[in-house]
Amino acid sequence: MAATDTLPNAPLPELLKRVGFQRRRRGFGSATQLLWNRVESNASLLALCRIREDLTPEDEAILGQCQEKLEAARWCLDKPLGRWSFSFWELIHEVDGLLLLVMPASMLVPRALEIQQQFERRVSDGRALLWLGADRVSGPLPRCVRRLAHVDEPGSGPAAPPPFDAGQDRYCRSVLRGALDSVNQQVDKTFWQLSINVSLQVFSTLLLLAVFVVSFVLLSPALIDGWPDTLVPRGLLLVGFAGASGAIVSNMLSKERFVVATGATSRFFAYHLLVKPVLGAFAALMLLFLEQSRMLFSVDTQAGNMTGDTSSAILHIVVSGPQAVFFTLMALAVVAGWSADKLLSSIMDKVLGRLLGQSEKVLPPSRPVGTPAPPPKGAVPP
């Protein structure tokens, strides 16, 4: 079947009659056509495998499974609303592995060389040592590829390897199937990680635009000129939105390497699109409260700094005017939202230490051990 913009009106496969898929009647884009070419390439290879004269009942069962999975892959690709990408690629990978068990030996050799090359290039964790060996030539995968490619031909003498029989052929094909499965898992993991990161960036952009719209509605010249008298409630909302925007921008600029790229991916989206913005808003408000209390730092104008304010703040930030105070606090709120988790843990330790230090200054001095208590007031000394 050729890859075109329209698909033939074939009957629904038996595997999907219980699902109720319907065909999509519109044209297909270039990406869909490439995926469809992949399906048809496997279909043509399946047709070539069927013409073998030495097929066993096991081979016939494998070919039947391949045909069924290809039909399911076609309909996963042709869904009217949304494409089942996970199911499509799982089916294609299963067909690729099953075809290795039944394809002719002449077609298996180039496929085996390609699998070894892909494995050496893409798999670099502990599986590489298991499949390739310590020297990358003594593992089961290189040995099977050499046997299939007749690199290690039987020689003469007692050390000559035994002839390549049917059992060894089945073993080598199974090894190739396992190696191909490892390669596909690595490729799929990288692809889904990229997909999740791009989706997070897109949703973060939409969320950031929504925060901008709400902030523009809340922001006004009266709010800036009257700061900090206008802190409640619009000022608190603006500071919270500034912290949330910092957390959202961190989602857009950072690329997480998720350990699990499939499964309950909605939890990743909930954390980055809900938990992190709320945490960033809380960090920004915490920073604002510390500035207003002047416990750790303060933002003052030049005129306010000349009045001799002897606050207990450790850090003093001096700016030019009242408007500069407002925008400086907003900038600090964005920074607090960017690294809210690290900032909160550091701030909490410093705040607790500062509170304990101030409480020790007002407590009465402790009495040394063994010193008699002072007599009560009005008592006659002995």
Side-chain angles (χ1 to χ4, degrees), residues 130-360:
L130 179 64
W131 286 87
L132 300 176
D135 54 357
R136 304 183 72 86
V137 294
S138 61
L141 179 59
R143 286 190 287 107
C144 289
V145 173
R146 290 198 303 268
R147 295 298 300 273
L148 291 172
H150 300 287
V151 176
D152 297 335
E153 291 289 349
S156 59
F164 195 67
D165 55 12
Q168 291 179 340
D169 178 75
R170 179 65 64 180
Y171 167 77
C172 291
R173 291 173 183 267
S174 300
V175 169
L176 289 178
R177 184 187 180 189
L180 179 61
D181 183 65
S182 298
V183 173
N184 290 332
Q185 288 180 4
Q186 185 66 31
V187 173
D188 289 346
K189 180 180 178 180
T190 304
F191 175 77
W192 297 127
Q193 285 176 344
L194 176 62
S195 176
I196 291 177
N197 281 319
V198 173
S199 299
L200 281 176
Q201 291 176 350
V202 172
F203 289 132
S204 297
T205 302
L206 298 177
L207 188 59
L208 185 62
L209 291 176
V211 171
F212 282 165
V213 172
V214 177
S215 300
F216 289 153
V217 173
L218 295 175
L219 190 61
S220 64
L223 177 64
I224 300 176
D225 296 336
W227 187 268
D229 297 333
T230 57
L231 180 61
V232 180
R234 297 172 64 185
L236 293 177
L237 288 176
L238 274 177
V239 173
F241 281 129
S245 64
I248 296 171
V249 173
S250 69
N251 290 336
M252 300 170 61
L253 297 181
S254 62
K255 295 182 179 180
E256 299 287 344
R257 295 188 62 86
F258 300 98
V259 179
V260 180
T262 59
T265 55
S266 58
R267 299 175 184 176
F268 298 140
F269 289 96
Y271 173 75
H272 287 84
L273 299 178
L274 180 61
V275 176
K276 286 188 66 176
V278 173
L279 190 62
F282 178 80
L285 291 175
M286 184 68 182
L287 198 68
L288 176 65
F289 297 156
L290 292 176
E291 192 277 333
Q292 291 295 309
S293 64
R294 299 180 182 273
M295 183 176 296
L296 295 180
F297 76 101
S298 63
V299 181
D300 297 319
T301 60
Q302 293 179 354
N305 190 50
M306 296 297 294
T307 58
D309 184 10
T310 58
S311 63
S312 59
I314 300 176
L315 176 64
H316 294 274
I317 302 176
V318 180
V319 294
S320 59
Q323 291 186 356
V325 173
F326 174 81
F327 289 109
T328 301
L329 289 175
M330 290 299 160
L332 292 176
V334 174
V335 174
W338 177 281
S339 56
D341 50 351
K342 299 178 181 178
L343 181 66
L344 286 176
S345 59
S346 176
I347 284 181
M348 293 302 179
D349 295 337
K350 292 182 179 179
V351 169
L352 290 177
R354 195 67 185 274
L355 290 176
L356 292 176
Q358 291 181 355
S359 64
E360 291 176 356

Side-chain angles (χ1 to χ4, degrees), residues 13-88:
E14 293 293 334
L15 182 63
L16 299 179
K17 283 185 177 180
R18 298 184 299 271
V19 183
F21 286 164
Q22 296 180 356
R23 299 185 64 82
R24 188 168 48 183
R25 297 295 182 179
R26 59 183 178 84
F28 293 91
S30 57
T32 304
Q33 293 182 26
L34 291 175
L35 296 179
W36 194 261
N37 287 337
R38 177 65 183 274
V39 175
E40 296 307 319
S41 176
N42 283 348
S44 62
L45 182 58
L46 177 62
L48 293 176
C49 293
R50 286 186 180 277
I51 63 177
R52 288 178 51 190
E53 298 180 355
D54 56 343
L55 292 176
T56 63
E58 180 182 357
D59 295 337
E60 293 287 352
I62 292 176
L63 293 175
Q65 292 180 12
C66 292
Q67 182 65 38
E68 191 177 45
K69 293 179 184 298
L70 282 178
E71 292 296 330
R74 287 192 180 97
W75 284 97
C76 289
L77 186 63
D78 197 28
K79 276 184 85 278
L81 296 175
R83 180 186 300 157
W84 284 14
S85 299
F86 285 95
S87 299
F88 173 81

